[in-house]
Amino acid sequence: MAALLEVDRLCVEFPTRRGVLRALDHVSLSIAAGEVLGVVGESGAGKSLTGAAIIGLLEPPGRIAKGEIRLEGRRIDNLPPSEMRRLRGRRIGAIFQDPLTTLNPLYTIGRQLVETIQTHLPLSDADARARAVSWLEQVGIPGAADRLFSYPHEFSGGMRQRVVIALALCAEPQLVIADEPTTALDVSVQAQIIALLKRLTREHGTSVMLVTHDMGVIAETADRVAVMYAGRVAELGPVASVIQEPAHPYTAGLMASIPALDRRVTRLAQIDGSMPRLNAMPPGCAFHPRCARAVAQCMAEQPGLMAAGRTEAACWVPVKEALHG
Amino acid sequence: MAEAALLEIRGLGHEFDVSRPWLQRALRGERRRFLRAVDEVSFAIPRGQTLSLVGESGCGKSTIARLAVGLYRPSRGSIHFDGTGIVAGQAQPALRRRMNMIFQDPYASLNPRWRVSDIIAEPIRVFGLMKDRAQIAARVGGLLSQVGLTPADGTKFPHEFSGGQRQRISIARALSSEPEFLVCDEPTSALDVSVQAQILNLMKDLQARLGLTYLFISHNLAVVRHMSDQLGVMYLGRIVEMGPAEAIFAAPRHPYTRLLLEAIPSLSEPGRARVPVGGEVPSPIAPPPGCTFHPRCPLANARCRAEVPQPLTLQTAHGAVDIACHAVAEGRDRA
Ligand SMILES: Nc1ncnc2c1ncn2[C@@H]1O[C@H](COP(=O)(O)OP(=O)(O)OP(=O)(O)O)[C@@H](O)[C@H]1O
Ligand SMILES: Nc1ncnc2c1ncn2[C@@H]1O[C@H](COP(=O)(O)OP(=O)(O)OP(=O)(O)O)[C@@H](O)[C@H]1O
Ligand code: SF4
Ligand SMILES: [Mg+2]
Ligand SMILES: [Mg+2]
């Protein structure tokens, strides 16, 4: 299947007074039409930056230093801002991690939805308003018609997030970049949003890049998963394999830290230490200072993605045993 | 209960005025409208324990959190901290320095123009806990390391951090004044599971060492189970089931709690679709009569549609659980 989106050896850098920080280092991903690619990984690993680069919203001084981003085979990383703006919203919808950057605190929820709908679709005021209500209902806002007049601060955290989701989907884009779309939501509303995203992929062939820390949501929604660590893709593969038989030791540690619902432990398993800062990257594999499997080669040579079991992992000594429990 | 409660909430209620602008109201001949965000909520948290609140998005958890630390003035009811009443709008510095809050939205709660070290040191300065600059800097550096960042990060601004890193900054700030009582509203929602494990382990270590008391809010039920002594399940502003967390996880009784626990995604069966709690979520502006859960409840009958169920105490192997449900009171849920 031809990929709808291809991210090809993308590097993003932040020039600072103390030198250039490389926040994304040769990240390559692709998403087919109708596919959901899950993106997980350490906080600060570069997941949101990857999303921001795709939709052309890197905040300066951040910039794409190398690599290409293609939508249906056409480069979009070098488009002029006006063309990128047209693409955004209409063909690529974005759900940001931070709902407050998307919502204007001075306008009512209804006004923001109606304006977005009318920017992209030729609808009358009344039709646009009816559609706004229908989107609010689809994302599960109770009493939607009554709440068009509310301002963002009058909504709970989870309700604001759902408005952001409605804003991203209301122009019916081909590709949705969803950065933590369900973290502020209870499990039931979360299930409803996931069902909505899945329906869009099935019925409209919408592609989704789903960034989330919630492995349950990944397991339920994603077709393939990319695991990121320190600005690089550490592991990439089909969802069941990444969760049940991860090859990268970081992925294995990540899976082991998930608190279980069916038993209680006094202490959660954790990966000791923390991810290296961008200005203090160790040589070799960036995970080696925290890795129990590290050998001499890991400290000297940086591994690229290579086939390991059923996934691809950037690791010299991939885990072979399947996880249990 | 033998332990003295550090936080005690009695009959708490809170309404928001959600009327349309005056002119529009006048033109349409509408009356003022109120949204009942919290209704008849009572609970106590013993010193050194964790009480968690769970429930649907918009059910009033953050409102209770803000009421508990005196950010809103309650419409009804009382809040006592270590025996003293909390009065919103009054400084009460002796009381306030003993409590702090980790806000649900780490973006909105960090001042974008301040350096991270100033953000974290703010509670120390406001309450005059330390005067010496070097001493404050050392404390801030230590806090940054505890949450998995580095002391050098203190010179940066919030926008230079990822979502989860900002959440850790707000955790460090909340801990900086060494509070006895901490309200944690979704403290780890933006963190990956491995950093989350580090933060939760840190919170438990602090509790064991310093006897901290937590009011904990999270949508992640596995995290809640891991952290909680007591658990309150909320629906539309009310507590529908409250008791020892172990008792409720082992044998949930209220129909809403049961549906909530069934809606958790499973890791062992990738691709499996879940059963969301069905039915329409009622509007909090016009809540249904009787038990507010009745439109979605598989056990609802005529009494449920008319009469508000009052909490009933049931004894379980893990302790007493309060449940507000007619079906449970009548024993219909076990039929
Ligand atoms: N304006 C900036 N200046 C310097 N560094 C930045 C800036 N913005 C982001 N970074 C760095 O880039 C890295 C990647 O950030 P990103 O927001 O993509 O992380 P993430 O994977 O989305 O993490 P999280 O799960 O916590 O949201 C982080 O280490 C962050 O500190
Ligand atoms: N300032 C406000 N003005 C008007 N209504 C408000 C205000 N703050 C909250 N509400 C309403 O009160 C109800 C409860 O909100 P609250 O933020 O307490 O929910 P929550 O349980 O924390 O939800 P979430 O899980 O989504 O964070 C919601 O219906 C919300 O719209
Ligand atoms: S009181 Fe009735 S409607 Fe409410 S939860 Fe119990 S059985 Fe269901
Ligand atoms: Mg992010
Ligand atoms: Mg909230």
Side-chain angles (χ1 to χ4, degrees), chain A residues 154-182:
Chain A
E154 296 175 323
F155 273 19
S156 79
M159 291 160 72
R160 278 201 287 265
Q161 186 144 12
R162 281 179 271 167
V163 174
V164 170
I165 295 172
L167 273 171
L169 301 180
C170 67
E172 295 162 5
Q174 281 171 293
L175 171 69
V176 177
I177 308 284
D179 197 353
E180 301 283 358
T182 61

Side-chain angles (χ1 to χ4, degrees), chain B residues 9 11 18 44 46 69 71 99 109 130 135 157 165 171 188 190 195 232 257 261 274 300 305 315 317 328:
Chain B
I9 287 184
V18 292
V69 294
L71 288 174
M99 51 175 81
S109 61
M130 289 178 190
Q135 208 185 352
F157 291 95
Q165 290 166 337
I171 293 172
T188 62
V195 175
T257 314
L261 294 183
R274 281 176 274 167
R305 287 185 277 274
Q315 291 304 328
V328 172

Side-chain angles (χ1 to χ4, degrees), chain B residues 129-150:
Chain B
L129 302 179
M130 289 178 190
K131 293 272 181 283
D132 182 49
R133 271 165 172 258
Q135 208 185 352
I136 295 179
R139 170 103 182 111
V140 168
L143 285 162
L144 280 167
S145 310
Q146 278 190 318
V147 296
L149 298 169
T150 58

